[in-house]
Amino acid sequence: MGGFSVGGGVDCDVLVIGGGIVGLSTAHALSRLAPGTRVVVLEKETGPARHQTGRNSGVIHSGIYYRPGSLKARFAVSGAAEMVKFCAEHGIAHEVTGKLIVATGRDELPRLHALVQRGRENGIPVRELGPAQISEYEPEVRGLAAIHVGTTGIVDYGRVTAQLAESSGAEIVYGGAVDLISRRPSAVAVRTTSGLVVRARVLVNCAGLQCDRIARLAGDEPGMRIIPFRGEYYDLARPGLVRGLVYPVPDPAFPFLGVHLTRGIGGGVHVGPNAVPALAREGYDWSTVRPRDIGTELSWPGSWRMAARHWRYGAGEIRRSLSKQAFTQAVRRLLPAVTAADLRPAAAGVRAQAVLRDGTLVDDFLIQDAPRTVHVLNAPSPAATASLPIGREIAARALRTLTSA
């Protein structure tokens, strides 16, 4: 969609910045909750879903990992079911495959049992497995124990996002980054690098990797900064080694799930991701370096406090990034038959991780209201899974601001 002339201006009710799955789900929800609302979406790239949305592993998460009562738990559990229904209604290829979470060391068994309890608290059916039962699901996978989560699935979130864009009825403008925001008591005006000016009664910031910068452009101090973590993937040259989805037991100290095996919609198997600090917010390899982005990270006290707290974990992730052999060893804990020759480099993604001033990695979705503005400041995985209920939540907040203004 499009249709606005460069250098022109337009008025709308709600302006959404960001054409990823969260931004377009918000536009889609606005059209359902308040038909007739004039919605404009600004996306700096030439199409939707070019960053986090289009570069993830394509998993429909069950919600088993997340603290009961948190936004992640609530929205992932309901969002998974909604995502399957949405895909079925619109003919988008998807599959509810189930997945295994496998403990390969005795130190992981208490964490695995804690996941069983958490799953039950979140209303997710889980089945506990011993070594022989693991082989029934995944003959090549080895572990001391595992749990099977039946509600996990796979989908192409790029396709989902394109459908949300088409169904939203919003005017979507591509190809211009926001470079100026002027917020007045009666409206918010936004200018893009293409010269377009949009005036809105409410602004919604779904800018993902750039969300803290958009918040500051709007005059708000978000109390966090985005620290980008690159997730590197390989494709498995022998996809027959894996039937479905296989995950390690995650470390609860980190909002990352570890290197896992994901059979995608096309039949190939993705291996990864790791989680290494990126040298640019959109840095999909080590050669992409943005001094401005590095400067933002180094000037934020939370970056140093995070590094001091978690340097051992980070060093291990960097080692697996720089050494294919080290990465292979990590995979072999789950899949002993894998060799380095089986792993072929694939496209990487970058996670927009919010870090607080005290060095805390924000573990839940973070949405903040400000005058005439809603800021989405932390929406990494499982935000794609949870995008439909997240979109409704953001849309409801925008509409409350719209009706009270």
Side-chain angles (χ1 to χ4, degrees):
M1 299 179 70
F4 296 138
S5 60
V6 173
V10 68
D11 296 308
C12 65
D13 295 313
V14 181
L15 171 61
V16 178
I17 298 175
I21 198 167
V22 173
L24 288 166
S25 178
T26 300
H28 181 268
L30 285 165
S31 70
R32 271 47 181 183
L33 294 173
T37 302
R38 294 168 297 168
V39 180
V40 172
V41 179
L42 296 180
E43 167 54 51
K44 69 183 179 66
E45 305 296 349
T46 56
R50 295 299 171 89
H51 293 290
Q52 290 185 106
T53 300
R55 290 175 170 266
N56 61 38
S57 55
V59 174
I60 303 174
H61 289 284
S62 65
I64 192 171
Y65 300 109
Y66 313 117
R67 178 176 50 81
S70 65
L71 291 179
K72 280 189 175 182
R74 287 167 44 207
F75 290 162
V77 173
S78 63
E82 285 190 55
M83 183 58 63
V84 170
K85 182 181 178 184
F86 182 88
C87 291
E89 289 175 348
H90 293 283
I92 298 171
H94 66 288
E95 186 178 352
V96 180
T97 58
K99 78 172 177 183
L100 295 185
I101 304 174
V102 181
T104 56
R106 290 197 170 277
D107 60 317
E108 296 174 338
L109 293 175
R111 301 207 305 268
L112 186 69
H113 295 316
L115 277 180
V116 172
Q117 181 60 31
R118 178 161 284 189
R120 289 172 178 160
E121 290 176 7
N122 287 337
I124 300 163
V126 298
R127 181 188 176 202
E128 298 181 71
L129 309 176
Q133 293 165 307
I134 293 173
S135 296
E136 293 175 13
Y137 286 97
E138 293 285 353
E140 298 292 338
V141 170
R142 299 291 179 268
L144 300 178
I147 56 179
H148 181 260
V149 187
T151 52
T152 302
I154 52 175
V155 72
D156 179 348
Y157 283 117
R159 286 279 314 281
V160 173
T161 306
Q163 183 61 55
L164 287 168
E166 183 178 329
S167 302
S168 69
E171 194 72 27
I172 305 172
V173 186
Y174 297 112
V178 171
D179 67 355
L180 182 66
I181 299 174
S182 175
R183 189 168 56 192
R184 305 291 175 83
S186 59
V188 182
V190 172
R191 188 187 70 190
T192 74
T193 51
S194 66
L196 175 69
V197 174
V198 182
R199 293 169 295 273
R201 296 170 63 196
V202 179
L203 172 68
V204 176
N205 169 15
C206 295
L209 286 158
Q210 311 296 336
C211 66
D212 56 334
R213 288 175 172 162
I214 294 298
R216 298 178 80 192
L217 272 180
D220 297 317
E221 173 46 61
M224 45 64 72
R225 292 294 183 272
I226 290 296
I227 304 299
F229 286 88
R230 185 171 62 255
E232 297 162 332
Y233 291 91
Y234 288 90
D235 287 330
L236 193 59
R238 292 188 287 161
L241 292 174
V242 178
R243 290 180 175 178
L245 280 62
V246 184
Y247 282 64
V249 179
D251 186 333
F254 303 97
F256 310 113
L257 299 181
V259 172
H260 46 269
L261 309 164
T262 307
R263 178 173 287 277
I265 286 294
V269 174
H270 250 26
V271 184
N274 56 6
V276 298
L279 301 179
R281 296 214 179 182
E282 296 164 10
Y284 297 108
D285 52 49
W286 284 111
S287 66
T288 304
V289 180
R290 298 282 185 272
R292 179 194 177 200
D293 293 349
I294 295 172
T296 299
E297 292 180 44
L298 295 180
S299 66
W300 181 239
S303 299
W304 296 98
R305 291 165 180 155
M306 175 189 67
R309 198 175 301 162
H310 301 306
W311 68 268
R312 284 188 178 87
Y313 180 92
E317 292 293 291
I318 291 171
R319 177 172 173 265
R320 284 183 284 275
S321 172
L322 298 177
S323 167
K324 187 179 183 182
Q325 194 58 47
F327 192 100
T328 305
Q329 289 173 359
V331 180
R332 282 174 58 85
R333 294 190 65 188
L334 291 171
L335 196 65
V338 162
T339 68
D342 290 321
L343 302 180
R344 298 172 176 169
V350 176
R351 176 191 181 105
Q353 177 62 51
V355 176
L356 303 181
R357 180 174 287 274
D358 67 359
T360 299
L361 286 80
V362 178
D363 191 39
D364 204 359
F365 299 140
L366 179 61
I367 306 171
Q368 289 183 359
D369 297 316
R372 291 197 173 273
T373 310
V374 181
H375 296 296
V376 182
L377 299 174
N378 197 59
S381 179
T385 297
S387 54
L388 293 171
I390 288 177
R392 281 198 304 277
E393 170 68 20
I394 299 165
R397 293 185 184 215
L399 291 171
R400 283 198 294 271
T401 301
L402 197 63
T403 55
S404 63

